Amino acid sequence: MTKPLGIAADHAGLDLKRALVTELEKRGIAVRDFGTTTSDSCDYPDFAHAVGRAIETDEIERAILVCGTGVGMSISANRHAAVRAVVCSEPLSARMARQHNDANALCIGARVVGTGTAIDIVDAFLGATFEGGRHATRVAKINLA
Ligand code: RB5
């Protein structure tokens, strides 16, 4: 990955986002943090859309989005045609989402998984490669004309 990895959270995901940034930096992965930066209550779509716009403009290739369940972030991010966001609560889905679906945004629920599992999910997502071939044909059919 040549571009920084985007990361964002709402207030519910802030602590997990901070833990993930620490882990990513330990792995030498450059991170671009889109917020939030305080525990004040905030609205997950604001952050999902900031990340979605950055994917659309090629400023970043991939991102991690954290909220309470990962659900609101994924619904919002998927409004951007260039985004394929997935909510994952275990590593297998994260790996397959890269290999078969070319997912570019990983959403995690901070109220759903613990930090250790979240790190395993992120490692699975970042360590996997899109397989192309028949999967590329299917991914090309996802967006409506
Ligand atoms: C915030 O309370 C919570 O609704 C949000 O973090 C997220 O889980 C929404 O999908």
PDB file of all heavy atoms in Angstrom, residues 134-145:
ATOM      1  N   ARG A 134     -12.655 -14.190 -11.674  1.00  0.00           N
ATOM      2  CA  ARG A 134     -14.123 -14.207 -11.608  1.00  0.00           C
ATOM      3  C   ARG A 134     -14.646 -13.235 -10.551  1.00  0.00           C
ATOM      4  O   ARG A 134     -15.758 -12.707 -10.666  1.00  0.00           O
ATOM      5  CB  ARG A 134     -14.644 -15.622 -11.337  1.00  0.00           C
ATOM      6  CG  ARG A 134     -14.308 -16.172  -9.967  1.00  0.00           C
ATOM      7  CD  ARG A 134     -14.709 -17.642  -9.839  1.00  0.00           C
ATOM      8  NE  ARG A 134     -14.552 -18.153  -8.481  1.00  0.00           N
ATOM      9  CZ  ARG A 134     -13.396 -18.510  -7.936  1.00  0.00           C
ATOM     10  NH1 ARG A 134     -12.273 -18.411  -8.641  1.00  0.00           N
ATOM     11  NH2 ARG A 134     -13.346 -18.987  -6.708  1.00  0.00           N
ATOM     12  N   HIS A 135     -13.818 -12.976  -9.540  1.00  0.00           N
ATOM     13  CA  HIS A 135     -14.259 -12.047  -8.488  1.00  0.00           C
ATOM     14  C   HIS A 135     -14.292 -10.606  -9.019  1.00  0.00           C
ATOM     15  O   HIS A 135     -15.134  -9.818  -8.617  1.00  0.00           O
ATOM     16  CB  HIS A 135     -13.353 -12.155  -7.270  1.00  0.00           C
ATOM     17  CG  HIS A 135     -13.317 -13.547  -6.705  1.00  0.00           C
ATOM     18  ND1 HIS A 135     -14.431 -14.158  -6.199  1.00  0.00           N
ATOM     19  CD2 HIS A 135     -12.314 -14.467  -6.640  1.00  0.00           C
ATOM     20  CE1 HIS A 135     -14.119 -15.396  -5.812  1.00  0.00           C
ATOM     21  NE2 HIS A 135     -12.841 -15.598  -6.073  1.00  0.00           N
ATOM     22  N   ALA A 136     -13.378 -10.295  -9.929  1.00  0.00           N
ATOM     23  CA  ALA A 136     -13.372  -8.956 -10.527  1.00  0.00           C
ATOM     24  C   ALA A 136     -14.641  -8.753 -11.358  1.00  0.00           C
ATOM     25  O   ALA A 136     -15.234  -7.664 -11.356  1.00  0.00           O
ATOM     26  CB  ALA A 136     -12.128  -8.771 -11.385  1.00  0.00           C
ATOM     27  N   THR A 137     -15.065  -9.781 -12.058  1.00  0.00           N
ATOM     28  CA  THR A 137     -16.306  -9.707 -12.839  1.00  0.00           C
ATOM     29  C   THR A 137     -17.477  -9.381 -11.920  1.00  0.00           C
ATOM     30  O   THR A 137     -18.339  -8.552 -12.225  1.00  0.00           O
ATOM     31  CB  THR A 137     -16.569 -11.059 -13.542  1.00  0.00           C
ATOM     32  OG1 THR A 137     -15.418 -11.401 -14.297  1.00  0.00           O
ATOM     33  CG2 THR A 137     -17.794 -10.991 -14.444  1.00  0.00           C
ATOM     34  N   ARG A 138     -17.508 -10.031 -10.768  1.00  0.00           N
ATOM     35  CA  ARG A 138     -18.623  -9.834  -9.829  1.00  0.00           C
ATOM     36  C   ARG A 138     -18.548  -8.450  -9.176  1.00  0.00           C
ATOM     37  O   ARG A 138     -19.574  -7.774  -9.041  1.00  0.00           O
ATOM     38  CB  ARG A 138     -18.585 -10.942  -8.763  1.00  0.00           C
ATOM     39  CG  ARG A 138     -18.889 -12.296  -9.370  1.00  0.00           C
ATOM     40  CD  ARG A 138     -18.503 -13.434  -8.474  1.00  0.00           C
ATOM     41  NE  ARG A 138     -18.674 -14.711  -9.188  1.00  0.00           N
ATOM     42  CZ  ARG A 138     -18.141 -15.853  -8.795  1.00  0.00           C
ATOM     43  NH1 ARG A 138     -17.404 -15.919  -7.701  1.00  0.00           N
ATOM     44  NH2 ARG A 138     -18.337 -16.956  -9.504  1.00  0.00           N
ATOM     45  N   VAL A 139     -17.341  -8.054  -8.786  1.00  0.00           N
ATOM     46  CA  VAL A 139     -17.197  -6.731  -8.148  1.00  0.00           C
ATOM     47  C   VAL A 139     -17.628  -5.642  -9.127  1.00  0.00           C
ATOM     48  O   VAL A 139     -18.260  -4.647  -8.729  1.00  0.00           O
ATOM     49  CB  VAL A 139     -15.749  -6.538  -7.653  1.00  0.00           C
ATOM     50  CG1 VAL A 139     -15.492  -5.090  -7.253  1.00  0.00           C
ATOM     51  CG2 VAL A 139     -15.465  -7.457  -6.463  1.00  0.00           C
ATOM     52  N   ALA A 140     -17.314  -5.836 -10.407  1.00  0.00           N
ATOM     53  CA  ALA A 140     -17.696  -4.843 -11.427  1.00  0.00           C
ATOM     54  C   ALA A 140     -19.208  -4.704 -11.554  1.00  0.00           C
ATOM     55  O   ALA A 140     -19.710  -3.703 -12.064  1.00  0.00           O
ATOM     56  CB  ALA A 140     -17.078  -5.210 -12.775  1.00  0.00           C
ATOM     57  N   LYS A 141     -19.947  -5.701 -11.111  1.00  0.00           N
ATOM     58  CA  LYS A 141     -21.418  -5.661 -11.197  1.00  0.00           C
ATOM     59  C   LYS A 141     -22.074  -5.049  -9.958  1.00  0.00           C
ATOM     60  O   LYS A 141     -23.303  -4.925  -9.912  1.00  0.00           O
ATOM     61  CB  LYS A 141     -21.973  -7.085 -11.380  1.00  0.00           C
ATOM     62  CG  LYS A 141     -21.687  -7.711 -12.729  1.00  0.00           C
ATOM     63  CD  LYS A 141     -22.357  -9.077 -12.813  1.00  0.00           C
ATOM     64  CE  LYS A 141     -22.210  -9.668 -14.208  1.00  0.00           C
ATOM     65  NZ  LYS A 141     -22.933 -10.953 -14.315  1.00  0.00           N
ATOM     66  N   ILE A 142     -21.279  -4.688  -8.950  1.00  0.00           N
ATOM     67  CA  ILE A 142     -21.875  -4.214  -7.690  1.00  0.00           C
ATOM     68  C   ILE A 142     -22.580  -2.884  -7.853  1.00  0.00           C
ATOM     69  O   ILE A 142     -23.740  -2.718  -7.455  1.00  0.00           O
ATOM     70  CB  ILE A 142     -20.803  -4.129  -6.581  1.00  0.00           C
ATOM     71  CG1 ILE A 142     -20.357  -5.547  -6.162  1.00  0.00           C
ATOM     72  CG2 ILE A 142     -21.359  -3.358  -5.370  1.00  0.00           C
ATOM     73  CD1 ILE A 142     -19.209  -5.562  -5.170  1.00  0.00           C
ATOM     74  N   ASN A 143     -21.902  -1.917  -8.453  1.00  0.00           N
ATOM     75  CA  ASN A 143     -22.487  -0.573  -8.554  1.00  0.00           C
ATOM     76  C   ASN A 143     -23.560  -0.525  -9.628  1.00  0.00           C
ATOM     77  O   ASN A 143     -23.396  -1.088 -10.713  1.00  0.00           O
ATOM     78  CB  ASN A 143     -21.401   0.461  -8.848  1.00  0.00           C
ATOM     79  CG  ASN A 143     -20.578   0.777  -7.609  1.00  0.00           C
ATOM     80  OD1 ASN A 143     -20.988   0.472  -6.493  1.00  0.00           O
ATOM     81  ND2 ASN A 143     -19.413   1.368  -7.807  1.00  0.00           N
ATOM     82  N   LEU A 144     -24.650   0.175  -9.321  1.00  0.00           N
ATOM     83  CA  LEU A 144     -25.708   0.374 -10.322  1.00  0.00           C
ATOM     84  C   LEU A 144     -25.254   1.443 -11.296  1.00  0.00           C
ATOM     85  O   LEU A 144     -24.479   2.344 -10.933  1.00  0.00           O
ATOM     86  CB  LEU A 144     -26.991   0.802  -9.614  1.00  0.00           C
ATOM     87  CG  LEU A 144     -27.499  -0.195  -8.552  1.00  0.00           C
ATOM     88  CD1 LEU A 144     -28.655   0.403  -7.775  1.00  0.00           C
ATOM     89  CD2 LEU A 144     -27.897  -1.506  -9.199  1.00  0.00           C
ATOM     90  N   ALA A 145     -25.744   1.361 -12.518  1.00  0.00           N
ATOM     91  CA  ALA A 145     -25.334   2.325 -13.538  1.00  0.00           C
ATOM     92  C   ALA A 145     -25.826   3.716 -13.185  1.00  0.00           C
ATOM     93  O   ALA A 145     -26.838   3.866 -12.532  1.00  0.00           O
ATOM     94  CB  ALA A 145     -25.871   1.903 -14.891  1.00  0.00           C
TER      95      ALA A 145
END
